[in-house]
Amino acid sequence: MAYTAHGQFKGFGMAKRYDRKTVHVSQEVTIGHTTWAKVTFGKQTIWIDKQGLQK
């Protein structure tokens, strides 16, 4: 599913350069109260808090 990135990314800190970029979530995992989304930016794949994405 495609999402638009916004806000703060775990591991990236504040990542304003990714604001409003469309990303593909290839996997989701919920740990405790947080849902993590596996996304790819260019050639880099990262896990981010899904709250940093919107449909």
Side-chain angles (χ1 to χ4, degrees), residues 4-50:
T4 302
H6 69 91
Q8 183 170 349
F9 294 91
K10 305 293 182 185
F12 275 105
M14 290 303 291
K16 291 183 185 280
R17 67 182 176 193
Y18 297 112
D19 282 358
R20 303 191 190 279
K21 301 290 183 188
T22 300
V23 296
H24 174 75
V25 175
S26 59
Q27 188 176 355
E28 291 182 18
V29 174
T30 301
I31 301 172
H33 297 288
T34 304
T35 300
W36 297 92
K38 186 177 182 181
V39 300
T40 302
F41 289 106
K43 295 181 180 181
Q44 188 169 22
T45 300
I46 62 168
W47 287 92
I48 65 169
D49 185 339
K50 191 174 175 186

